């Protein structure tokens, strides 16, 4: 059971980071990580911090709440 949980946690983390990287604005991996971690102004920082990061966090929270709701309905 813990092995399955670990695999699913790694998969969720990988999909979370993939949702940060993939988008219509062609921003590379290095540039996207720099835009998230380094304090600078520019279009990449705007896209990453104001569009992609809130979208990814919201998707993570909605998925968790739907999972909890499904478990509560079955219980």
């Amino acid at each position: 059971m813990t092995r399955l949980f670990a695999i699913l946690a790694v998969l969720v983390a990988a999909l979370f980071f993939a949702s940060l990287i993939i988008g219509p604005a062609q921003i590379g991996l290095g540039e996207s990580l720099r835009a998230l971690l380094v304090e600078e102004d520019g279009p990449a920082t705007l896209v990453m911090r104001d569009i992609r990061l809130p979208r990814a966090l919201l998707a993570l929270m909605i998925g968790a709440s739907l999972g909890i709701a499904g478990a509560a309905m079955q219980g």
Side-chain angles (χ1 to χ4, degrees), residues 8-33:
L8 289 176
V10 168
L11 184 62
V12 166
L15 290 173
F16 176 78
F17 288 117
S19 72
L20 287 176
I21 296 169
I22 298 171
Q26 298 298 325
I27 301 173
L29 176 63
E31 188 178 356
S32 63
L33 289 176

Side-chain angles (χ1 to χ4, degrees), residues 20 25-28 30-38 40-53:
L20 287 176
Q26 298 298 325
I27 301 173
E31 188 178 356
S32 63
L33 289 176
R34 191 175 331 110
L36 280 173
L37 301 175
V38 178
E40 61 183 33
D41 292 329
T45 304
L46 178 71
V47 168
M48 293 304 292
R49 290 188 182 168
D50 291 343
I51 297 173
R52 290 187 186 178
L53 186 60

Side-chain angles (χ1 to χ4, degrees), residues 54-70:
R55 179 189 67 190
L57 290 173
L58 185 64
L60 194 64
M61 289 187 292
I62 289 172
S65 66
L66 286 173
I68 291 170

